[in-house]
Amino acid sequence: MADPTRKRRGGGRAARLSARAAPLPADLRPVRPGLDGGRYKVLDDADVLRIHSAALDALEQIGLANAPASGVDLLTRAGAVLGPDGRLRFPRALVEDMLACAAKAVVLPGRDPAFDLDVSGNRVHFGTAGAAVHVVDPVTLDYRESTTQDLYDAARLVQALDNVHFFQRPMVCRDITDNFELDTNTIYAACAGTTKHIGTSFVGPENLPGCLELLHLIAGGEAAFRARPFVSNTNCFVVPPMTFATESCEVMEICVRAGMPVLLLSAGQAGATAPAPIATAVVQAVAECLAGVVYVNAICPGAPAIFGTWPFVSDLRTGAMSGGSGEQALLTAACAQMHKFYGLPGGAAAGIADAKLPDMQAGWEQAISNTMAGLSGLNMVYEAVGMHASLLGFCMESLVLGNDLLGQVLRCVRGIEVTDDTVSIDVMKAVCLGGPGHYLGQDQTLKLMQSEYVYPDVANRMSPKEWVEAGQPQLLDQARARKEAILASAPHHLSPDLETRLKSRFNLVTLSHN
């Protein structure tokens, strides 16, 4: 007997499946860039205050060495004190004044405004990053040197992966030996591959005039780039512990004056270049980045900057980096809380796998730290996907798989909406009191199945019987097939006319679009 409470739906099963597979409008998707995190707090309020106080003590009592002459001039004029030992020390009042004028809300533009990132509050964004020197082939198990074509292909994949929100250069173009050509080809390959926001570093200050010229040509002029700086500078302005990186600081000064957002990146390694206690590793990273905040705002008050506390973990038995550890997840979560304490846009690392391949070890390493970073409300989660061997290797298939992983992480970040509608028992009454005894055909179920639930692109949810009937598909095979399908149809994001003009001015590699 037909169920009288179940409404008849037209179009047949195939039509319904097709409709459900169609992309939802951005505002109806179950996950999207900029979801609010911040529900998880690894530190209590007293812990945060103690770390803050210790960081200020470190800046006043230890200070930082090796600032360039231009930086010494900027910082001493702002109120820093140059000691007879050559170290710059930062009075508390100076730090507090610079925090007051620092940018609290930063938008990182994409070349396509649809990909603009509002980096403020507890809004969470996941993306790539790193300086891997190898590309990992999970089928042949080879680690080969990364190339400009690889960087371009990674950017094209990111363009198609909804849960990867920005593209910071994840690997080095090892096929280019000239430093200037390395910087220009990195920009070129990234911009040709994606219209999402891009992050990159520069080898030295001498390369900036040419690199800025390249960016202005792509943007349509200097004014257009300043209005929408779609490339930001990843700047390792310190060499931990508590030492300025002289050339990187010179790069930072040029970038800030050019209107380019800057990621102030402090990347100490606990037990090696940062203290072994997790709390003190956070103290040092915070102190170093506070020095960066003073530096940036001494150049240009309110300039866009990301507070990039990025401490890593050592395996203290060997000294090797351990980016996939639980301690790394704790460090990143604690850093996110410190960003919120200062009210500054912040970024840190998560999703790093020590595993050499996209296997079960990589899965738990990537999932734990990404989930904790998202729940902590970290604005920019760098190195979230694709990174293996403690940042030495980048894997395209892992990038594709990571998009599924991040979909589940983002669903956790979104949390549970409790409203009058979502706790109403009207549907329960209809089902339980004379109804079918299940919710499968209810309008509410069908209405929410796409907006409330996230479905993976490549992960397998078949029953064992269905899996056998489908030929027992393997996850890596599915990831490789999706990677190849994306690359086969991915557009090139620079027009032929612009491409010609760029190649007439710069020595750029030829990229394969297939």
Side-chain angles (χ1 to χ4, degrees):
M1 184 180 221
D3 174 7
T5 70
R6 185 167 180 168
K7 294 184 179 180
R8 187 174 180 81
R9 301 181 303 280
R13 183 172 184 271
R16 294 195 299 275
L17 290 174
S18 177
R20 293 168 194 165
L24 282 174
D27 60 337
L28 295 180
R29 292 176 187 172
V31 296
R32 52 194 173 274
L35 289 172
D36 262 7
R39 292 174 174 83
Y40 172 68
K41 295 182 179 180
V42 67
L43 304 171
D44 64 29
D45 292 345
D47 295 334
V48 170
L49 289 173
R50 292 179 72 180
I51 288 172
H52 167 61
S53 180
L56 293 182
D57 286 343
L59 288 172
E60 278 195 320
Q61 298 172 28
I62 302 170
L64 280 81
N66 292 357
S70 56
V72 171
D73 181 58
L74 279 163
L75 290 167
T76 53
R77 282 193 286 113
V81 178
L82 181 64
D85 57 0
R87 301 185 76 87
L88 282 163
R89 291 174 173 84
F90 299 77
R92 273 171 158 73
L94 170 61
V95 177
E96 290 165 357
D97 287 347
M98 290 305 194
L99 283 169
C101 70
K104 304 302 191 296
V106 171
V107 173
L108 298 177
R111 279 203 0 265
D112 180 346
F115 297 124
D116 287 1
L117 306 179
D118 180 354
V119 189
S120 62
N122 289 315
R123 294 180 177 88
V124 176
H125 308 88
F126 290 94
T128 59
V133 294
H134 296 104
V135 167
V136 183
D137 187 322
V139 176
T140 65
L141 310 185
D142 290 333
Y143 268 59
R144 61 167 177 79
E145 289 199 335
S146 49
T147 67
T148 310
Q149 180 70 42
D150 293 322
L151 185 68
Y152 173 59
D153 287 345
R156 293 197 293 162
L157 290 172
V158 166
Q159 179 74 12
L161 299 174
D162 288 343
N163 301 324
V164 186
H165 305 140
F166 61 91
F167 183 73
Q168 185 163 306
R169 179 213 65 188
M171 68 190 96
V172 179
C173 303
R174 299 282 286 171
D175 53 331
I176 299 176
T177 55
D178 179 85
N179 285 340
F180 177 66
E181 291 179 7
L182 173 63
D183 282 349
T184 52
N185 276 279
T186 297
I187 293 170
Y188 165 63
C191 289
T194 184
T195 59
K196 295 182 179 181
H197 185 79
I198 293 165
T200 191
S201 59
F202 301 101
V203 175
E206 67 279 2
N207 293 351
L208 262 295
C211 290
L212 287 169
E213 180 187 350
L214 173 60
L215 288 170
H216 296 163
L217 285 169
I218 294 171
E222 180 178 355
F225 179 76
R226 284 180 175 273
R228 293 186 55 80
F230 52 84
V231 173
S232 56
N233 172 222
T234 304
N235 196 288
C236 296
F237 72 104
V238 288
V239 179
M242 303 293 281
T243 304
F244 282 117
T246 306
E247 283 202 344
S248 293
C249 288
E250 293 171 344
V251 168
M252 180 175 69
E253 292 176 24
I254 297 170
C255 289
V256 169
R257 292 189 176 105
M260 186 182 295
V262 175
L263 167 64
L264 296 167
L265 200 162
S266 161
Q269 192 168 327
T273 57
I278 292 174
T280 327
V282 176
V283 168
Q284 180 177 296
V286 168
E288 289 169 342
C289 284
L290 285 174
V293 169
V294 174
Y295 203 145
V296 165
N297 287 279
I299 301 167
C300 179
I306 307 298
F307 198 79
T309 46
W310 205 312
F312 290 119
V313 170
S314 301
D315 184 319
L316 296 180
R317 300 168 302 178
T318 64
M321 181 180 159
S322 180
S325 63
E327 293 85 1
Q328 180 67 63
L330 288 168
L331 273 171
T332 297
C335 287
Q337 271 188 264
M338 297 310 299
H339 307 161
K340 303 311 155 195
F341 173 72
Y342 296 116
L344 296 175
I352 305 163
D354 298 323
K356 310 307 175 286
L357 299 168
D359 53 17
M360 185 174 177
Q361 178 184 337
W364 82 59
E365 290 174 333
Q366 292 167 337
I368 290 171
S369 59
N370 275 322
T371 302
M372 286 178 63
L375 292 177
S376 299
L378 184 61
N379 297 132
M380 298 288 284
V381 186
Y382 297 97
E383 299 173 336
V385 282
M387 300 306 292
H388 289 268
S390 304
L391 301 180
L392 292 176
F394 183 81
C395 179
M396 303 287 183
E397 288 80 3
S398 185
L399 174 58
V400 171
L401 292 169
N403 187 64
D404 272 3
L405 185 153
L406 291 181
Q408 304 305 311
V409 172
L410 284 162
R411 187 63 190 87
C412 294
V413 171
R414 177 181 158 190
I416 299 172
E417 289 81 26
V418 179
T419 66
D420 289 345
D421 286 340
T422 60
V423 297
S424 169
I425 67 168
D426 289 345
V427 177
M428 293 174 63
K429 287 180 181 178
V431 166
C432 299
L433 303 179
H438 62 76
Y439 298 90
L440 293 174
Q442 294 297 311
D443 287 344
Q444 183 188 61
T445 302
L446 299 172
K447 178 183 176 183
L448 294 178
M449 67 177 295
Q450 285 183 287
S451 61
E452 186 87 347
Y453 294 83
V454 174
Y455 303 95
D457 290 325
V458 294
N460 193 308
R461 291 179 171 177
M462 296 176 180
S463 69
K465 180 176 182 294
E466 292 169 325
W467 178 67
V468 169
E469 291 171 349
Q472 299 172 312
Q474 301 296 301
L475 190 59
L476 275 177
D477 293 338
Q478 299 295 98
R480 175 156 287 197
R482 177 153 166 72
K483 176 198 76 172
E484 291 172 352
I486 290 171
L487 294 179
S489 60
H492 191 76
H493 291 284
L494 300 174
S495 70
D497 176 63
L498 176 58
E499 186 102 6
T500 299
R501 285 188 287 132
L502 295 180
K503 289 190 172 180
S504 71
R505 173 64 184 85
F506 301 96
N507 186 19
L508 301 176
V509 302
T510 298
L511 299 171
S512 171
H513 303 181
N514 299 322

